[in-house]
Amino acid sequence: MRGSPLEARVVLHRSRTFRIEVDLYIEPGATVALLGPNGAGKSSVVSAIAGLLPIDEGAVRLGGRVLDDPSSAVFVPPESRRIGVVFQDYLLFSHLSVVDNIAFGPRSRGTPRTRADSAARTWVERLGLAGLESRRPGDLSGGQAQRVALARALVTEPDALLLDEPLAALDVTTRAEMRQALGDHLAGFDGPRLLITHDPVEAFLLADDVYVMEGGLITQAGSPEEIRLRPRTPYAADLAGANLVVGEARDGVVSVDTHAIHVADHQISGRVLLTISPTAIAIHRHRPEGSPRNSWSTRIRRMEPLGDRVRLQVSDPLPLAVEVTRDAADALELHTGVDVWVAVKATEIGVERDG
C-alpha cells in the first residue's frame, strides 16, 4: 500500500463560525507541507486523517482503502489505518524506555515481544539512537526525543506518514540540525508524507509541494518556488516571504556560486542557510551611494501587485524576491526588464548552519 496515494477531502464544522474545508492529494514518495499559522486548522486535518477526529463531510482514502466517508457510514479506527503519526510534543510514554516506547506500536497490535523489541532496536540503529535504549524520555534531549517519536511511527511500517510540527519543540540550533536529518529520513520512506508546519523554512526545504492554509481553507498550493516567488495573498507573502540561499561561509563572507554575500556572523563557517526578508532588500535605479558591501546590479524579471505593495523578482547573479510599496515602485519607475541595483545590510541577513 505504500505505493498508493493519500487522498483527503476533509470538511469539519468546528463551530458556528469556523469551518475547515481542505482537499489534499499526496503521491507516494512525496512530501506535502500544510503551512499556516496557529489556529488555521492544520492539526485538525492531521487528526482527521489519522482517525482521531471523524470528518463531517468528504472522504479520506489511502490507495484503494476508504478510511472515512460519512456518506457511506465508513469509519476505520486509527489503529487499523496503517498511518504513522509524529505529534508536536511527541507524546512519548514517560515511564517507558526508548526501546519500549518504539516497540509499543507493534506490541499493541499483537506482535510478540521479542520480535517487537528486535524491530525497535533496528530503528534505534537507523536513527542514531544507539546507547540510549534504556533511557526514559525525561533523560533525552529534544532532538533525541524527536527521533524516538519518528522511530515509533515508522516501526509499524505505515503506508503513510503524518508529522504535526515535528521540529517546533526544538531550540533553534537543534532545529537546524534535525531538519536535515528529518529530510534524510523522509527521503527513505516511500509512502505519502504530510508535514504540518508554521515555519516556511521547514516547508520550503522539506516539501515537494506546499499548501498554504488560512482560516480553515487552502488559499494557495504549488511548489515551494511558486509559493515563494508568486504568493497570492498578503498573508502568504508574509508567511513564505523569506528568500532562502545556501552557500559556504568563511570569515563573514558566504560564497553562493560566483557571488559573495557579507554577513554579520564572522565565526560561522561551512555550509550555511541564509534567510533574507524581501522587505529588507533596498532597490535603486543607480548604484547606491557609499557602495554598501552587499550591493550589486541586476534586472527585474517579474513584477506583481500585492495589495499596497509590489513584489519583484530580480535575476542573476542572485535571484531574489523583493517587496516595495506601490508608491516606491512608481517613484522609481520600476517595470519588468529594467536594470536596477539591490542592497541589503549584513545585519539583516539571518544565517545558520545547514545541518
Side-chain angles (χ1 to χ4, degrees):
M1 289 290 291
R2 281 196 190 175
S4 301
L6 174 64
E7 303 173 82
R9 174 170 174 74
V10 174
V11 180
L12 297 167
H13 304 288
R14 304 301 288 154
S15 70
R16 290 183 178 180
T17 58
F18 188 61
R19 168 189 171 101
I20 295 171
E21 185 172 346
V22 169
D23 288 273
L24 296 172
Y25 181 86
I26 310 175
E27 293 279 4
T31 299
V32 164
L34 193 58
L35 176 65
N38 294 331
K42 306 186 303 298
S43 292
S44 294
V45 173
V46 169
S47 295
I49 294 174
L52 303 174
L53 184 65
I55 62 176
D56 296 311
E57 300 173 40
V60 178
R61 297 182 178 86
L62 184 54
R65 297 179 65 209
V66 177
L67 304 180
D68 193 351
D69 185 352
S71 67
S72 55
V74 173
F75 181 81
V76 176
E79 63 273 15
S80 300
R81 294 198 175 195
R82 296 192 60 82
I83 293 177
V85 186
V86 178
F87 293 100
Q88 178 176 343
D89 52 5
Y90 310 138
L91 298 181
L92 299 177
F93 297 110
S94 61
H95 64 291
L96 297 181
S97 68
V98 165
V99 166
D100 288 339
N101 262 285
I102 298 172
F104 178 82
R107 288 182 195 168
S108 65
R109 296 181 181 186
T111 301
R113 183 185 183 94
T114 301
R115 197 191 317 167
D117 286 356
S118 177
R121 292 180 186 278
T122 296
W123 279 103
V124 163
E125 293 294 331
R126 288 183 185 178
L127 294 185
L129 295 166
L132 306 177
E133 293 90 341
S134 299
R135 290 194 188 180
R136 294 188 177 183
D139 299 321
L140 301 175
S141 68
Q144 291 165 344
Q146 194 261 1
R147 280 179 280 168
V148 173
L150 182 60
R152 188 177 62 179
L154 293 173
V155 72
T156 58
E157 299 183 349
D159 295 325
L161 188 61
L162 311 179
L163 302 105
D164 188 2
E165 300 276 8
L167 305 179
L170 305 179
D171 60 61
V172 173
T173 302
T174 306
R175 190 180 307 141
E177 176 184 332
M178 288 306 301
R179 185 170 56 229
Q180 181 169 331
L182 181 59
D184 293 339
H185 299 318
L186 290 178
F189 179 76
D190 54 9
R193 305 163 312 228
L194 177 62
L195 170 68
I196 304 300
T197 182
H198 67 275
D199 186 343
V201 175
E202 285 177 22
F204 293 162
L205 293 182
L206 296 176
D208 301 292
D209 288 293
V210 176
Y211 289 66
V212 179
M213 188 173 183
E214 303 177 52
L217 303 174
I218 301 299
T219 56
Q220 187 173 356
S223 69
E225 191 77 355
E226 289 170 338
I227 302 297
R228 184 174 70 84
L229 296 178
R230 293 184 291 279
R232 294 179 184 171
T233 69
Y235 170 78
D238 291 337
L239 184 67
N243 292 289
L244 306 178
V245 180
V246 177
E248 290 288 329
R250 182 179 180 182
D251 297 329
V253 178
V254 178
S255 299
V256 183
D257 296 327
T258 59
H259 192 68
I261 300 177
H262 295 265
V263 296
D265 188 340
H266 286 240
Q267 303 302 316
I268 197 166
S269 62
R271 185 179 171 88
V272 296
L273 174 69
L274 306 182
T275 55
I276 309 172
S277 169
T279 58
I281 303 171
I283 194 162
H284 308 266
R285 286 303 302 269
H286 305 287
R287 185 169 187 160
E289 295 181 4
S291 300
R293 289 186 296 174
N294 285 326
S295 64
W296 62 90
S297 61
T298 183
R299 177 169 293 178
I300 297 176
R301 188 164 64 183
R302 180 183 294 113
M303 288 184 61
E304 294 179 322
L306 197 67
D308 61 352
R309 296 174 287 175
V310 176
R311 193 175 181 89
L312 318 173
Q313 183 184 346
V314 298
S315 57
D316 295 334
L318 197 63
L320 295 172
V322 182
E323 284 185 18
V324 298
T325 65
R326 208 178 264 274
D327 289 343
D330 292 341
L332 291 170
E333 299 181 343
L334 301 180
H335 57 82
T336 301
V338 71
D339 292 327
V340 294
W341 281 76
V342 295
V344 58
K345 296 179 180 178
T347 54
E348 293 286 349
I349 301 173
V351 55
E352 62 179 79
R353 287 184 176 84
D354 186 22

